[in-house]
């Protein structure tokens, strides 16, 4: 069995003004939708969605444990069999390395975790995961929402 610590998120946005832009844009869209549709419920749902997005994006990155054995991949306590993994890829973000694992699970199709540069155990992790699932570099372009949020600097 192989174990390594990783981070659940790339950026800590607690001090960033980008979070307040999320609230501002969601409030603006909520107000505009109220004027167009004259429906308070739609405006309220859009506003609540913006607030939930703010809360989700403001969470701090937490340390997670990645465990691997001959049969499964355990990501922060949730077990995925190697047969349910399609592939993995690695993205260099400068000071961090993003690992993306694509699975066949409908509820969690992509698993994202991050390593600090030159963290001990990364080479062993790469060897271990490469022995069990194929490296597919095109996985990083499959999740359009994740890619968009990374481009605008929210993750």
């Amino acid at each position: 069995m192989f174990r390594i610590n990783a981070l659940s998120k790339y950026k800590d946005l607690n001090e960033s003004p980008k979070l307040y832009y999320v609230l501002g844009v969601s409030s603006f869209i909520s107000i505009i939708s109220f004027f167009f549709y004259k429906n308070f419920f739609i405006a309220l749902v859009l506003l609540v969605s913006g607030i939930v997005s703010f809360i989700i994006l403001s969470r701090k990155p937490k340390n997670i444990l990645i465990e691997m054995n001959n049969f499964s991949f355990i990501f922060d306590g949730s077990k995925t069999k190697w047969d349910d993994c399609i592939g993995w890829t690695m993205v260099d973000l400068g000071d961090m390395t993003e690992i993306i694992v694509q699975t066949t699970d409908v509820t969690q199709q992509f698993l994202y975790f991050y390593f600090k540069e030159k963290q001990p155990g990364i080479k062993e992790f790469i060897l271990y995961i490469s022995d069990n699932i194929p490296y597919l570099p095109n996985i990083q372009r499959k999740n359009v929402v994740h890619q968009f949020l990374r481009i605008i600097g929210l993750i």
Side-chain angles (χ1 to χ4, degrees):
M1 177 173 285
F2 179 78
R3 294 179 182 187
I4 190 167
N5 288 320
L7 293 173
S8 64
K9 189 176 162 188
Y10 175 51
K11 289 187 177 181
D12 183 7
L13 296 173
N14 282 328
E15 303 297 323
S16 175
K18 292 178 184 178
L19 282 178
Y20 299 105
Y21 296 149
V22 170
L23 280 180
V25 168
S26 67
S27 300
F28 179 73
I29 291 173
S30 176
I31 291 168
I32 293 298
S33 71
F34 180 73
F35 287 121
F36 280 132
Y37 299 113
K38 305 287 189 235
N39 189 335
F40 183 71
F41 181 72
I42 293 174
L44 184 64
V45 166
L46 287 172
L47 187 61
V48 169
S49 298
I51 293 170
V52 168
S53 298
F54 176 83
I55 292 169
I56 290 171
L57 290 172
S58 67
R59 294 182 302 173
K60 289 185 181 246
K62 68 176 188 169
N63 286 323
I64 57 174
L65 181 65
I66 307 295
E67 297 179 71
M68 295 181 280
N69 58 32
N70 293 336
F71 307 106
S72 63
F73 174 77
I74 303 168
F75 175 77
D76 198 28
S78 67
K79 184 185 265 187
T80 304
K81 293 181 181 178
W82 289 120
D83 295 338
D84 295 334
C85 294
I86 297 170
W88 74 284
T89 192
M90 187 168 55
V91 181
D92 183 21
L93 301 174
D95 58 337
M96 300 281 270
T97 301
E98 178 181 53
I99 304 292
I100 307 167
V101 177
Q102 185 179 9
T103 67
T104 58
D105 187 10
V106 175
T107 59
Q108 197 169 13
Q109 186 176 8
F110 296 98
L111 304 173
Y112 296 94
F113 48 96
Y114 301 86
F115 293 118
K116 294 178 182 172
E117 189 170 330
K118 298 182 182 176
Q119 179 179 336
I122 292 179
K123 290 180 183 176
E124 293 84 4
F125 169 81
I126 292 170
L127 291 172
Y128 205 95
I129 198 168
S130 296
D131 287 343
N132 292 294
I133 54 176
Y135 181 81
L136 302 172
N138 63 346
I139 289 176
Q140 69 178 339
R141 292 184 296 274
K142 287 186 178 181
N143 191 345
V144 178
V145 174
H146 182 81
Q147 214 172 356
F148 175 73
L149 290 174
R150 188 187 307 144
I151 288 170
I152 62 174
L154 290 176
I155 56 171

